[in-house]
Amino acid sequence: SSDLSGSNSGVARKWQSSNLTEDGRKCGKTTGCYYNFKGSANENSLLKQVVKLTNHQFNAGDVLSLTTDLKTTVAAPNLLITLAVTEGETVKSTFLLDEPTLDWLTIAPITHTLCGAPTKIVVSFRNKTKNGVIRVDNVSLRLSEPVDTRACRLALPPAP
């Protein structure tokens, strides 16, 4: 599971960042901690985690599921959440937050069915919101057992 809690440096533990302006980890007396993206005119901040693959066994058909909680009152948010999985080639599955949530919203899982052992998994949040605040909490990446391995089978070539 990914973790947005961590040190008081403003950047969450195990996460890499770039182009942060006033973004960072915030903690309230009664709300707990969350990651706070604050928009600006030239906003293009990135928060990402390269998931460590050691000590995990992956099988064809296993499903990765990424969920997170989001909150914003911004009229036109622009937060792209990406699950990038490399198994020979990189496949990106995304969710774009482009409407206000008003209250905390748990997004439907962003999923990826594995066809074998991945060589790299990256979870990222790219914020391009021009003003206002987007809050991110409870980022979770889960691995579940295979349900159906047919998603990994190659389609037959067309008939001659």
Side-chain angles (χ1 to χ4, degrees):
S1 151
S2 302
D3 182 12
L4 280 177
S5 63
S7 69
N8 292 326
S9 67
V11 176
R13 178 180 57 221
K14 299 179 186 174
W15 290 79
Q16 301 166 1
S17 60
S18 62
N19 301 322
L20 299 183
T21 49
E22 296 180 46
D23 306 323
R25 183 172 172 255
K26 303 285 183 187
C27 297
K29 291 180 181 178
T30 59
T31 59
C33 298
Y34 52 86
Y35 198 83
N36 200 64
F37 284 106
K38 186 171 183 181
S40 65
N42 297 316
E43 188 67 38
N44 191 18
S45 56
L46 175 68
L47 185 66
K48 75 176 185 175
Q49 182 177 112
V50 178
V51 179
K52 290 187 179 180
L53 301 178
T54 55
N55 301 323
H56 294 287
Q57 182 176 346
F58 300 98
N59 298 298
D62 285 351
V63 178
L64 292 169
S65 298
L66 173 65
T67 60
T68 189
D69 295 340
L70 305 170
K71 183 179 181 179
T72 186
T73 57
V74 175
N78 185 348
L79 180 70
L80 183 65
I81 304 166
T82 303
L83 172 61
V85 180
T86 303
E87 298 177 85
E89 64 180 60
T90 300
V91 175
K92 294 181 180 181
S93 304
T94 62
F95 174 85
L96 177 64
L97 177 66
D98 58 0
E99 298 178 353
T101 63
L102 305 179
D103 203 351
W104 285 103
L105 168 73
T106 301
I107 65 165
I110 299 170
T111 61
H112 177 85
T113 301
L114 296 173
C115 294
T119 55
K120 189 174 188 178
I121 300 172
V122 179
V123 173
S124 65
F125 294 82
R126 165 88 53 200
N127 183 38
K128 293 187 176 185
T129 305
K130 298 302 177 198
N131 58 28
V133 170
I134 298 176
R135 295 176 177 170
V136 177
D137 198 5
N138 297 322
V139 178
S140 176
L141 181 62
R142 300 190 192 288
L143 177 66
S144 59
E145 296 295 319
V147 177
D148 186 354
T149 58
R150 287 181 289 179
C152 295
R153 294 183 188 157
L154 296 176
L156 294 173

